[in-house]
Amino acid sequence: MLYVITGPPAAGKSSWIEGHAKPEDIVIDLDRITVALTGPGAPHWNHGEVQQRVAQRARYAAIDEAIKHLDKVDVYLIHTMPKAKALAQYKRLGARIVPVDPGREVVMNRIKAMRSPAMERVATRWYNARRRQAATGMPQTSRRW
């Protein structure tokens, strides 16, 4: 099974996976990949542009390979804000989309405490997209019976 974990930065997506994945499962988490590819003492967040670019390429390769093995292992993929094309691909793969959101206030406080200020913009974008999604979820009113 493919689990796609979505949510704003600092929402607890990695923690959710830690509570659900088994040791033999595949976990594709850009933060974990970046830490694995950087030197000793590198931060767990707030990576440099080059480090993120290399890790992003490794993430794409990991996804391509992992989906070939969905019949053997569960795959947990963190994708903060998947676009429609990615969601369509995940749907074709029979993925379960799992949104993790402890609430805007909690997220913003966590970002202030642990992440770079740039993550506030990402979180704001995530919440704005969710609000637009909810507003357009029902394009017409129901009939009057």
Side-chain angles (χ1 to χ4, degrees), residues 95-123:
R96 177 177 165 211
I97 309 297
V98 180
V100 176
D101 178 20
R104 186 183 191 118
E105 184 177 342
V106 170
V107 165
M108 292 305 188
N109 286 336
R110 288 178 182 171
I111 289 171
K112 284 180 179 131
M114 302 184 302
R115 306 285 178 94
S116 78
M119 289 296 105
E120 289 181 20
R121 288 189 299 277
V122 176

Short mmCIF file of all heavy atoms in Angstrom, two decimals, residues 95-123:
data_model
loop_
_atom_site.label_atom_id
_atom_site.label_comp_id
_atom_site.label_asym_id
_atom_site.label_seq_id
_atom_site.Cartn_x
_atom_site.Cartn_y
_atom_site.Cartn_z
N ALA A 95 -3.31 4.72 -3.79
CA ALA A 95 -2.75 5.30 -2.57
C ALA A 95 -3.83 5.75 -1.60
O ALA A 95 -4.94 6.12 -2.00
CB ALA A 95 -1.86 6.49 -2.91
N ARG A 96 -3.46 5.74 -0.35
CA ARG A 96 -4.28 6.35 0.69
C ARG A 96 -3.64 7.70 1.02
O ARG A 96 -2.47 7.75 1.40
CB ARG A 96 -4.32 5.46 1.93
CG ARG A 96 -5.11 6.09 3.06
CD ARG A 96 -5.21 5.17 4.25
NE ARG A 96 -5.66 5.97 5.38
CZ ARG A 96 -5.33 5.74 6.63
NH1 ARG A 96 -4.56 4.70 6.95
NH2 ARG A 96 -5.76 6.51 7.59
N ILE A 97 -4.37 8.78 0.84
CA ILE A 97 -3.87 10.12 1.13
C ILE A 97 -4.19 10.41 2.59
O ILE A 97 -5.36 10.32 3.01
CB ILE A 97 -4.50 11.18 0.22
CG1 ILE A 97 -4.39 10.78 -1.26
CG2 ILE A 97 -3.90 12.56 0.49
CD1 ILE A 97 -2.99 10.65 -1.79
N VAL A 98 -3.16 10.76 3.38
CA VAL A 98 -3.33 11.00 4.81
C VAL A 98 -2.93 12.44 5.13
O VAL A 98 -1.74 12.76 5.18
CB VAL A 98 -2.47 10.02 5.64
CG1 VAL A 98 -2.66 10.29 7.13
CG2 VAL A 98 -2.78 8.58 5.29
N PRO A 99 -3.89 13.33 5.33
CA PRO A 99 -3.53 14.70 5.74
C PRO A 99 -3.22 14.75 7.24
O PRO A 99 -3.94 14.18 8.05
CB PRO A 99 -4.77 15.52 5.41
CG PRO A 99 -5.89 14.54 5.30
CD PRO A 99 -5.30 13.18 5.06
N VAL A 100 -2.12 15.40 7.58
CA VAL A 100 -1.74 15.60 8.98
C VAL A 100 -1.73 17.10 9.22
O VAL A 100 -0.97 17.83 8.60
CB VAL A 100 -0.34 14.99 9.27
CG1 VAL A 100 0.09 15.30 10.70
CG2 VAL A 100 -0.35 13.50 9.02
N ASP A 101 -2.59 17.54 10.12
CA ASP A 101 -2.71 18.97 10.40
C ASP A 101 -3.17 19.20 11.84
O ASP A 101 -4.34 19.03 12.14
CB ASP A 101 -3.69 19.62 9.43
CG ASP A 101 -3.90 21.10 9.71
OD1 ASP A 101 -3.04 21.72 10.38
OD2 ASP A 101 -4.92 21.65 9.25
N PRO A 102 -2.25 19.59 12.71
CA PRO A 102 -2.64 19.86 14.10
C PRO A 102 -3.28 21.23 14.29
O PRO A 102 -3.65 21.59 15.40
CB PRO A 102 -1.32 19.77 14.85
CG PRO A 102 -0.31 20.24 13.85
CD PRO A 102 -0.82 19.72 12.52
N GLY A 103 -3.38 22.00 13.21
CA GLY A 103 -3.95 23.35 13.28
C GLY A 103 -2.90 24.40 13.00
O GLY A 103 -1.72 24.23 13.30
N ARG A 104 -3.36 25.48 12.40
CA ARG A 104 -2.45 26.55 11.95
C ARG A 104 -1.62 27.13 13.10
O ARG A 104 -0.42 27.35 12.95
CB ARG A 104 -3.28 27.65 11.28
CG ARG A 104 -2.43 28.71 10.66
CD ARG A 104 -3.29 29.82 10.05
NE ARG A 104 -2.45 30.68 9.25
CZ ARG A 104 -2.58 30.86 7.95
NH1 ARG A 104 -3.54 30.26 7.30
NH2 ARG A 104 -1.76 31.64 7.30
N GLU A 105 -2.24 27.38 14.24
CA GLU A 105 -1.51 27.99 15.36
C GLU A 105 -0.37 27.09 15.83
O GLU A 105 0.75 27.54 16.05
CB GLU A 105 -2.47 28.28 16.51
CG GLU A 105 -1.79 29.02 17.67
CD GLU A 105 -2.77 29.36 18.78
OE1 GLU A 105 -4.00 29.34 18.56
OE2 GLU A 105 -2.28 29.64 19.88
N VAL A 106 -0.64 25.79 15.96
CA VAL A 106 0.38 24.84 16.40
C VAL A 106 1.52 24.80 15.38
O VAL A 106 2.70 24.85 15.74
CB VAL A 106 -0.23 23.44 16.58
CG1 VAL A 106 0.85 22.38 16.80
CG2 VAL A 106 -1.22 23.43 17.74
N VAL A 107 1.16 24.73 14.10
CA VAL A 107 2.17 24.67 13.04
C VAL A 107 3.05 25.92 13.06
O VAL A 107 4.28 25.83 13.01
CB VAL A 107 1.49 24.48 11.67
CG1 VAL A 107 2.44 24.79 10.53
CG2 VAL A 107 0.94 23.07 11.54
N MET A 108 2.44 27.08 13.13
CA MET A 108 3.23 28.32 13.11
C MET A 108 4.13 28.43 14.33
O MET A 108 5.27 28.89 14.22
CB MET A 108 2.31 29.53 12.99
CG MET A 108 1.60 29.63 11.66
SD MET A 108 2.74 29.60 10.25
CE MET A 108 1.64 29.95 8.92
N ASN A 109 3.67 27.98 15.48
CA ASN A 109 4.51 27.99 16.68
C ASN A 109 5.69 27.03 16.53
O ASN A 109 6.81 27.35 16.93
CB ASN A 109 3.70 27.64 17.93
CG ASN A 109 2.80 28.79 18.36
OD1 ASN A 109 3.06 29.94 18.05
ND2 ASN A 109 1.72 28.47 19.05
N ARG A 110 5.44 25.87 15.97
CA ARG A 110 6.53 24.90 15.74
C ARG A 110 7.54 25.46 14.75
O ARG A 110 8.75 25.28 14.91
CB ARG A 110 5.98 23.58 15.23
CG ARG A 110 5.24 22.78 16.27
CD ARG A 110 4.68 21.51 15.66
NE ARG A 110 3.93 20.72 16.61
CZ ARG A 110 3.20 19.67 16.27
NH1 ARG A 110 3.12 19.28 15.00
NH2 ARG A 110 2.54 19.00 17.19
N ILE A 111 7.06 26.10 13.70
CA ILE A 111 7.97 26.67 12.71
C ILE A 111 8.84 27.74 13.36
O ILE A 111 10.06 27.77 13.16
CB ILE A 111 7.19 27.25 11.50
CG1 ILE A 111 6.61 26.09 10.68
CG2 ILE A 111 8.09 28.13 10.64
CD1 ILE A 111 5.66 26.53 9.59
N LYS A 112 8.24 28.60 14.16
CA LYS A 112 9.02 29.64 14.85
C LYS A 112 10.09 29.04 15.75
O LYS A 112 11.19 29.57 15.87
CB LYS A 112 8.10 30.55 15.64
CG LYS A 112 7.34 31.52 14.77
CD LYS A 112 6.42 32.42 15.57
CE LYS A 112 5.73 33.36 14.62
NZ LYS A 112 4.31 33.44 14.78
N ALA A 113 9.77 27.92 16.38
CA ALA A 113 10.70 27.30 17.32
C ALA A 113 11.78 26.46 16.63
O ALA A 113 12.90 26.39 17.13
CB ALA A 113 9.92 26.41 18.30
N MET A 114 11.46 25.84 15.48
CA MET A 114 12.38 24.84 14.93
C MET A 114 12.81 25.06 13.48
O MET A 114 13.76 24.43 13.05
CB MET A 114 11.73 23.45 14.98
CG MET A 114 11.32 22.97 16.34
SD MET A 114 10.67 21.28 16.32
CE MET A 114 9.30 21.37 15.19
N ARG A 115 12.11 25.85 12.74
CA ARG A 115 12.37 25.94 11.29
C ARG A 115 12.73 27.35 10.87
O ARG A 115 12.62 28.29 11.63
CB ARG A 115 11.13 25.48 10.51
CG ARG A 115 10.61 24.11 10.89
CD ARG A 115 11.49 23.01 10.34
NE ARG A 115 11.03 21.69 10.73
CZ ARG A 115 10.23 20.91 10.01
NH1 ARG A 115 9.78 21.33 8.86
NH2 ARG A 115 9.90 19.73 10.44
N SER A 116 13.10 27.47 9.61
CA SER A 116 13.44 28.78 9.07
C SER A 116 12.16 29.57 8.82
O SER A 116 11.10 28.98 8.56
CB SER A 116 14.24 28.65 7.78
OG SER A 116 13.38 28.34 6.70
N PRO A 117 12.25 30.90 8.86
CA PRO A 117 11.08 31.73 8.59
C PRO A 117 10.46 31.46 7.22
O PRO A 117 9.26 31.67 7.03
CB PRO A 117 11.61 33.16 8.68
CG PRO A 117 12.82 33.05 9.55
CD PRO A 117 13.41 31.69 9.27
N ALA A 118 11.24 30.96 6.26
CA ALA A 118 10.71 30.66 4.93
C ALA A 118 9.61 29.60 5.00
O ALA A 118 8.70 29.58 4.16
CB ALA A 118 11.83 30.18 4.01
N MET A 119 9.66 28.74 5.99
CA MET A 119 8.64 27.70 6.13
C MET A 119 7.28 28.28 6.50
O MET A 119 6.25 27.65 6.25
CB MET A 119 9.07 26.66 7.17
CG MET A 119 10.21 25.77 6.72
SD MET A 119 9.79 24.74 5.30
CE MET A 119 10.64 25.56 3.97
N GLU A 120 7.26 29.48 7.08
CA GLU A 120 5.98 30.14 7.37
C GLU A 120 5.22 30.40 6.07
O GLU A 120 4.01 30.23 6.01
CB GLU A 120 6.19 31.44 8.14
CG GLU A 120 6.64 31.22 9.57
CD GLU A 120 6.83 32.53 10.34
OE1 GLU A 120 6.26 33.57 9.92
OE2 GLU A 120 7.54 32.49 11.35
N ARG A 121 5.96 30.79 5.03
CA ARG A 121 5.31 31.03 3.72
C ARG A 121 4.76 29.73 3.15
O ARG A 121 3.67 29.71 2.58
CB ARG A 121 6.31 31.68 2.76
CG ARG A 121 6.61 33.12 3.08
CD ARG A 121 7.41 33.81 1.99
NE ARG A 121 8.72 33.20 1.75
CZ ARG A 121 9.82 33.44 2.46
NH1 ARG A 121 9.77 34.30 3.47
NH2 ARG A 121 10.96 32.85 2.18
N VAL A 122 5.51 28.64 3.29
CA VAL A 122 5.04 27.35 2.79
C VAL A 122 3.77 26.93 3.54
O VAL A 122 2.79 26.49 2.93
CB VAL A 122 6.13 26.27 2.92
CG1 VAL A 122 5.61 24.90 2.49
CG2 VAL A 122 7.37 26.66 2.10
N ALA A 123 3.78 27.10 4.85
CA ALA A 123 2.61 26.73 5.66
C ALA A 123 1.41 27.60 5.28
O ALA A 123 0.29 27.09 5.15
CB ALA A 123 2.92 26.86 7.14
#
